């Protein structure tokens, strides 16, 4: 049985309800949250008098398991519960007997990493600020992938299963659009998920497209299967056409009046094409004013280039003409470069950190004048651990309302000389660390041992194995100063052979440290996800971030860590460049000559490892001093670094970032 209910009588906003959701959607509430906020947000998007923005992203990491969680009155479908993770450590006997289980709802698996989480955090801050925005993405029915460590290959990749129709808050609408792929019309169902503000007074609807429908032929049902499936170029083109064309058509089918189309990465480029196909050259010129583009990476592989011969299988002659006119690659006229296309057709173009802006200008000098920099952030209410929420609330008289305005966290600086605050901060951190030691108790992880983590996508420029270059040196350090606990996590894209090899190298190094387990414990967690992301960024003592400069556009995991008082240990790249004088930890390693990019494959492992160990020694000595003596702890500078970290969160957050986007790009007056 299915029924339709109408939230707003005057418009055709209908949700399709399977029998499962009747309990959860009532006259006034949506999974217990106020439905009024939904109606208000929908009305604004439907109104031609309110300026609104459609934000396009291939992936969304909404942190649905850790923030504003919708709880269904129905029992959770086991397919939507996080799978247990295996561990690969240098205490191998424990790996055989124990897994890590956190029987939480899985984060809606339509993201792969930083880009998606940024999109999710942006939605949440837009909601907090009450901005009329709608997100557009794809309902990946097979998520990204399941990872399994394997000493021979590094990682094994398998298909992920989840059940969208039973995912709390995710609603299939009775609305469809279609997109032509070659000769076939592929039907796409529209789903919605509502992203509530912290105070639940506003929402951002997220529109998700799904080709997994019985009326589609089998090959087409899989098009919205696996995120970033890139077995061949045709797949990549088709997935991008679904996002761009399907997205624009879905917005129209929903009746939304959109003033600005915000394309994230070249992935969303075809949204412009769909709007342009029926227009004259003059009109296309005018259309550019309503398009904005954000470039998220300086890495070569991040810039889509597609062969015209392949594009012809998916687009018609007229469409190809427009692509050629605005996007022909500079080095190869048989390719369309989606980054160039976006830079040409969007009136506004931005990079995601100051440094990334400089790098993008070097890479695309023709657009130098146009490229702005808006530094990334994280959504503070999502990434603040429970014990830090309590801490911030205890000192709210000094800090101010940090939920309402994340920039207030800057005020933590005023507590630098407050001994009680310093003690409370140390205790709050210890509580977080206890969550980690509890999770890893079978591996004898302790809360009084120096703990450092590296967790992010495994790909060469991020240099997963830098700290393990010279394990003898690490053993020496541990003997001299104190034991070390190291946690690693991260997936490599299934087609990233070098990234997969890095994981294999990591596992080999871990094995080689089996004899040193009393001095150094190394633990890797399978299937890094938002749940682990939040846990690790809040619970370790030091966050290691060692990309090869200048290839990290921004990076956001370190921002999650500073929010929770976790000291930074980083190369000078991405967001860290903007915090380099704030004394938030140690900065080390190679820095490219001003105005030069260097070479992405020249990883400088030897010299940077050397500089890493020198700095690590200082950090460890300082940590153990603070750990072992209450007096030293209050004055040796460790806690001061923790405080500086939190204060920097007053800037590195999506609340500040969304305000900048609004000022420079979106220009919505609420
Ligand atoms: C924050 C986060 C990332 C991004 O980390 P970077 O350091 O920016 O690469 C990736 N994956 C997960 C699960 C995260 O939480």
């Amino acid at each position: 049985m299915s029924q339709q209910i109408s939230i707003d009588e005057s418009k055709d906003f209908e949700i399709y309800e399977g029998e499962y959701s009747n309990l959860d959607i009532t006259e006034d509430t949506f999974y217990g949250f106020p439905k009024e906020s939904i109606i208000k947000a929908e009305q604004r998007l439907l109104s031609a008098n309110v300026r609104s923005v459609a934000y396009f992203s291939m992936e969304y990491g909404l942190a649905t398991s850790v923030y504003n969680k919708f709880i269904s009155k129905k029992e959770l479908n086991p397919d939507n519960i996080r799978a247990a993770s295996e561990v690969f450590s240098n205490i191998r006997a424990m790996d055989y007997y124990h897994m890590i289980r956190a029987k939480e709802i899985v984060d809606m698996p339509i993201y792969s990493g930083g880009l998606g989480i940024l999109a999710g955090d942006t939605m949440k801050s837009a909601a907090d600020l009450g901005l009329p925005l709608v997100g557009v993405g794809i309902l990946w029915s097979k998520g990204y992938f399941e990872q399994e460590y394997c000493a021979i290959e590094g990682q094994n990749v398998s298909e992920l299963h989840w059940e969208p129709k039973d995912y709390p808050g995710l609603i299939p609408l009775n609305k469809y659009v279609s997109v032509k792929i070659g000769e076939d019309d592929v039907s796409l169902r529209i789903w919605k998920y509502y992203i509530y503000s912290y105070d639940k007074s506003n929402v951002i609807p997220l529109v998700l497209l799904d080709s997994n429908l019985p009326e589609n032929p089998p090959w087409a049902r899989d098009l919205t299967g696996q995120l970033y499936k890139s077995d061949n170029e045709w797949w990549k083109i088709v997935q991008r056409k679904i996002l761009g064309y399907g997205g624009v058509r879905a917005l129209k089918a929903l009746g939304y009046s959109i003033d600005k189309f915000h394309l994230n990465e070249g992935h969303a480029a075809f949204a412009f094409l769909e709007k342009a196909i029926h227009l004259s050259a003059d009109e296309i010129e005018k259309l550019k004013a309503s398009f904005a583009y954000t470039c998220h990476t300086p890495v070569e592989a991040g810039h889509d280039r597609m062969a015209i011969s392949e594009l012809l299988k998916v687009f018609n002659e007229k469409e190809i003409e427009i692509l050629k006119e605005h996007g022909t690659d500079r080095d190869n006229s048989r390719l369309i470069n989606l980054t160039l296309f976006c830079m040409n057709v969007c009136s506004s173009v931005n990079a995601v950190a100051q440094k990334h802006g400089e790098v993008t200008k070097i890479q695309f000098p023709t657009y130098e004048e146009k490229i702005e920099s808006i530094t990334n952030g994280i959504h503070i209410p999502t990434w603040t651990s429970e014990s830090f929420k309590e801490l911030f609330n205890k000192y709210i008289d000094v800090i101010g309302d940090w939920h309402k305005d994340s920039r207030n966290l800057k005020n933590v600086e005023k507590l630098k000389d407050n001994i009680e605050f310093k003690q409370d901060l140390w205790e709050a951190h210890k509580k977080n660390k206890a969550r980690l030691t509890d999770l890893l108790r079978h591996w004898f992880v302790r809360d009084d041992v120096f703990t450092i983590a590296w967790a992010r996508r495994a790909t060469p420029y991020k240099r997963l194995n830098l700290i393990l270059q010279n394990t003898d040196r690490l053993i020496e350090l541990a003997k001299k100063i104190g034991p070390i606990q190291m946690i690693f996590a991260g997936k490599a894209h299934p087609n990233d052979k070098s990234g997969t090899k890095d994981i294999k190298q990591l596992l080999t190094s871990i094995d080689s440290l089996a004899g040193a387990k009393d001095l150094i414990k190394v633990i890797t967690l399978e299937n890094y996800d938002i749940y682990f992301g939040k846990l690790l960024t809040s619970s370790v003592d030091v966050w290691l971030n060692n990309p090869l400069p200048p290839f990290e556009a921004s990076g956001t995991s370190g921002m999650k860590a500073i929010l929770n008082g976790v000291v930074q240990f980083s190369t000078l790249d991405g967001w860290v460049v903007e915090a380099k004088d704030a004394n938030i930890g140690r900065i080390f390693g190679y820095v490219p000559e001003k105005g030069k990019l260097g070479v992405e494959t020249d990883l400088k492992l030897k010299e940077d490892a050397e500089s890493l160990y020198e700095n690590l020694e200082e950090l460890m000595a300082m940590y153990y001093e603070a750990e072992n003596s209450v007096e030293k702890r209050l004055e040796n500078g460790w806690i001061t670094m923790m405080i500086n970290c939190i204060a920097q969160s007053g800037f590195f957050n999506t609340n500040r970032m969304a305000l900048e986007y609004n000022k420079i790009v979106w220009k919505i007056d609420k």
Side-chain angles (χ1 to χ4, degrees):
M1 273 291 291
S2 68
Q3 63 171 102
Q4 288 172 10
I5 59 156
S6 185
I7 282 188
D8 174 6
E9 306 282 330
S10 64
K11 299 281 180 187
D12 60 345
F13 171 65
E14 294 159 345
I15 20 186
Y16 168 92
E17 287 192 85
E19 57 258 64
Y20 60 89
S21 60
N22 290 344
L23 288 170
D24 298 315
I25 304 174
T26 70
E27 200 159 327
D28 317 309
T29 61
F30 182 82
Y31 290 84
F33 288 42
K35 200 141 102 186
E36 196 192 324
S37 312
I38 296 180
I39 296 167
K40 204 178 67 189
E42 291 286 351
Q43 279 168 343
R44 286 198 302 178
L45 288 166
L46 292 166
S47 163
N49 302 323
V50 180
R51 269 185 71 81
S52 51
V53 175
Y55 186 96
F56 282 66
S57 174
M58 206 53 136
E59 49 169 312
Y60 288 87
L62 298 167
T64 43
S65 75
V66 292
Y67 182 70
N68 270 354
K69 191 191 318 192
F70 292 128
I71 296 173
S72 174
K73 293 214 164 68
K74 247 192 76 178
E75 207 174 313
L76 263 187
N77 183 326
D79 284 345
N80 291 338
I81 295 177
R82 285 183 84 250
S85 281
E86 289 202 29
V87 166
F88 193 105
S89 76
N90 64 336
I91 318 168
R92 292 306 304 279
M94 292 300 129
D95 303 353
Y96 293 113
Y97 292 113
H98 302 286
M99 305 243 276
I100 293 183
R101 270 173 232 280
K103 286 210 161 194
E104 297 277 339
I105 184 166
V106 67
D107 270 292
M108 205 194 300
I110 55 170
Y111 72 98
S112 82
L115 183 69
I117 293 165
L118 177 75
D121 282 2
T122 305
M123 297 295 101
K124 283 178 267 181
S125 278
D128 293 349
L129 292 165
L131 298 172
L133 213 101
V134 51
V136 179
I138 292 180
L139 188 84
W140 300 106
S141 61
K142 294 176 181 169
Y144 186 40
F145 68 89
E146 290 276 2
Q147 175 195 50
E148 196 190 344
Y149 289 128
C150 140
I152 299 161
E153 303 285 342
Q155 69 176 16
N156 286 329
V157 170
S158 62
E159 222 169 68
L160 181 149
H161 296 283
W162 69 296
E163 196 46 80
K165 75 171 175 32
D166 292 338
Y167 197 91
L170 183 57
I171 307 294
L173 305 196
N174 218 354
K175 277 199 160 53
Y176 300 79
V177 291
S178 76
V179 171
K180 213 171 180 64
I181 307 295
E183 293 304 307
D184 297 283
D185 277 314
V186 172
S187 184
L188 302 168
R189 173 174 227 156
I190 302 174
W191 295 64
K192 264 192 191 165
Y193 188 84
Y194 291 108
I195 301 160
Y196 273 82
S197 61
Y198 75 94
D199 63 359
K200 305 191 176 54
S201 68
N202 190 41
V203 303
I204 303 293
L206 175 61
V207 170
L208 297 168
L209 302 163
D210 171 24
S211 75
N212 187 17
L213 306 171
E215 59 263 40
N216 282 332
W219 63 268
R221 295 185 67 159
D222 219 25
L223 292 176
T224 58
Q226 190 195 339
L227 169 62
Y228 296 134
K229 181 176 165 116
S230 56
D231 297 358
N232 59 49
E233 207 162 62
W234 180 87
W235 266 102
K236 291 169 75 170
I237 295 168
V238 170
Q239 292 190 330
R240 283 153 183 72
K241 185 167 185 181
I242 289 178
L243 178 64
Y245 276 53
V248 167
R249 288 173 187 176
L251 294 168
K252 197 167 165 209
L254 292 164
Y256 291 164
S257 159
I258 302 297
D259 299 277
K260 191 69 99 183
F261 295 83
H262 186 163
L263 313 182
N264 285 283
E265 291 295 48
H267 304 152
F270 298 142
F272 184 87
L273 193 56
E274 137 69 52
K275 299 285 281 184
I277 27 180
H278 307 293
L279 302 179
S280 68
D282 277 358
E283 287 166 329
I284 290 180
E285 213 42 52
K286 285 204 194 100
L287 181 66
K288 294 181 177 179
S290 49
F291 274 78
Y293 165 60
T294 301
C295 178
H296 291 266
T297 181
V299 171
E300 231 3 78
H303 298 285
D304 286 329
R305 287 181 182 79
M306 271 116 189
I308 292 170
S309 57
E310 284 296 315
L311 285 160
L312 273 164
K313 295 177 188 164
V314 181
F315 292 104
N316 65 32
E317 295 283 350
K318 170 125 199 265
E319 292 166 315
I320 299 288
E321 276 319 302
I322 300 175
L323 286 172
K324 275 188 187 163
E325 182 177 347
H326 301 284
T328 301
D329 190 63
R330 293 173 296 194
D331 305 323
N332 184 342
S333 63
R334 286 182 310 244
L335 298 180
I336 298 299
N337 180 323
L338 293 187
T339 302
L340 275 187
F341 181 79
C342 288
M343 289 204 176
N344 281 325
V345 301
C346 295
S347 60
S348 133
V349 173
N350 76 284
V352 294
Q354 293 299 327
K355 179 73 184 295
H356 180 224
E358 291 164 25
V359 170
T360 311
K361 286 176 187 183
I362 298 172
Q363 290 176 319
F364 300 94
T366 319
Y367 307 89
E368 201 179 10
E369 302 268 291
K370 203 172 178 175
I371 298 166
E372 305 261 6
S373 301
I374 300 175
T375 303
N376 279 167
I378 53 155
H379 183 247
I380 297 294
T382 299
W383 296 101
T384 311
S385 58
E386 290 308 312
S387 64
F388 274 62
K389 281 182 189 165
E390 281 167 27
L391 178 73
F392 297 160
N393 287 339
K394 180 172 173 188
Y395 291 88
I396 201 147
D397 288 348
V398 180
I399 297 172
D401 186 344
W402 58 277
H403 266 103
K404 184 157 187 212
D405 191 341
S406 312
R407 293 173 297 181
N408 283 332
L409 286 176
K410 181 90 184 133
N411 295 328
V412 168
E413 262 172 2
K414 296 180 191 156
L415 295 160
K416 255 185 191 165
D417 299 319
N418 183 325
I419 290 177
E420 191 186 336
F421 176 75
K422 287 168 115 174
Q423 280 161 338
D424 287 344
L425 172 56
W426 182 262
E427 288 311 314
H429 172 65
K430 280 282 178 191
K431 266 194 203 163
N432 285 340
K433 205 168 169 185
R435 293 191 56 215
L436 180 74
T437 52
D438 182 51
L439 189 81
L440 299 175
R441 63 191 177 279
H442 297 302
W443 289 266
F444 315 108
V445 167
R446 295 168 52 135
D447 82 339
D448 56 355
V449 170
F450 179 83
T451 306
I452 182 166
W454 185 105
R456 54 184 56 82
R457 181 163 57 98
T459 198
Y461 84 88
K462 298 211 185 219
R463 301 193 293 188
L464 164 62
N465 291 296
L466 187 66
I467 193 171
L468 294 168
Q469 285 303 301
N470 184 347
T471 44
D472 291 341
R473 183 76 182 269
L474 281 176
I475 293 170
E476 252 172 61
L477 274 181
K479 277 187 187 149
K480 184 168 156 197
I481 301 168
I484 304 173
Q485 295 172 156
M486 270 192 258
I487 323 272
F488 290 92
K491 295 175 173 177
H493 183 280
N495 294 357
D496 183 350
K497 291 210 173 64
S498 314
T500 307
K501 227 164 94 188
D502 286 349
I503 295 178
K504 183 184 155 143
Q505 174 62 50
L506 170 71
L507 303 182
T508 309
S509 301
I510 291 175
D511 261 345
S512 79
L513 282 165
K517 65 180 184 333
D518 295 331
L519 289 167
I520 303 175
K521 284 192 183 67
V522 196
I523 289 176
T524 58
L525 305 178
E526 227 168 57
N527 284 312
Y528 186 48
D529 63 0
I530 288 177
Y531 181 82
F532 280 150
K534 182 161 179 180
L535 183 78
L536 290 180
T537 54
S538 59
S539 64
V540 297
D541 301 305
V542 171
W543 193 253
L544 177 61
N545 173 56
N546 49 223
L548 175 76
F551 294 103
E552 188 67 85
S554 163
T556 51
S557 61
M559 298 179 190
K560 301 165 193 166
I562 55 172
L563 170 63
N564 291 290
V566 170
V567 168
Q568 298 299 294
F569 190 24
S570 180
T571 49
L572 192 59
D573 206 7
W575 73 273
V576 176
V577 176
E578 288 160 67
K580 72 176 196 311
D581 299 322
N583 184 22
I584 56 171
R586 286 286 181 278
I587 294 172
F588 68 95
Y590 158 81
V591 181
E593 250 176 84
K594 204 170 163 50
K596 295 264 164 53
L597 295 177
V599 182
E600 204 179 307
T601 46
D602 177 10
L603 291 173
K604 308 207 180 300
L605 293 174
K606 269 219 162 63
E607 60 262 51
D608 274 9
E610 194 53 40
S611 138
L612 184 155
Y613 296 130
E614 279 164 24
N615 284 279
L616 182 63
E617 180 161 358
E618 283 175 36
L619 277 177
M620 285 173 62
M622 219 168 153
Y623 166 84
Y624 274 112
E625 208 173 61
E627 178 63 53
N628 296 331
S629 146
V630 181
E631 284 101 71
K632 292 256 173 63
R633 177 182 310 159
L634 291 172
E635 63 190 40
N636 87 337
W638 186 265
I639 294 181
T640 305
M641 287 196 295
M642 293 173 75
I643 294 175
N644 292 338
C645 283
I646 303 168
Q648 286 297 308
S649 293
F651 180 79
F652 296 102
N653 63 71
T654 42
N655 177 300
R656 182 270 316 153
M657 185 197 82
L659 287 169
E660 275 186 51
Y661 270 103
N662 196 29
K663 194 160 156 219
I664 299 170
V665 181
W666 303 336
K667 302 189 168 103
I668 309 165
D669 33 56
K670 301 196 251 172

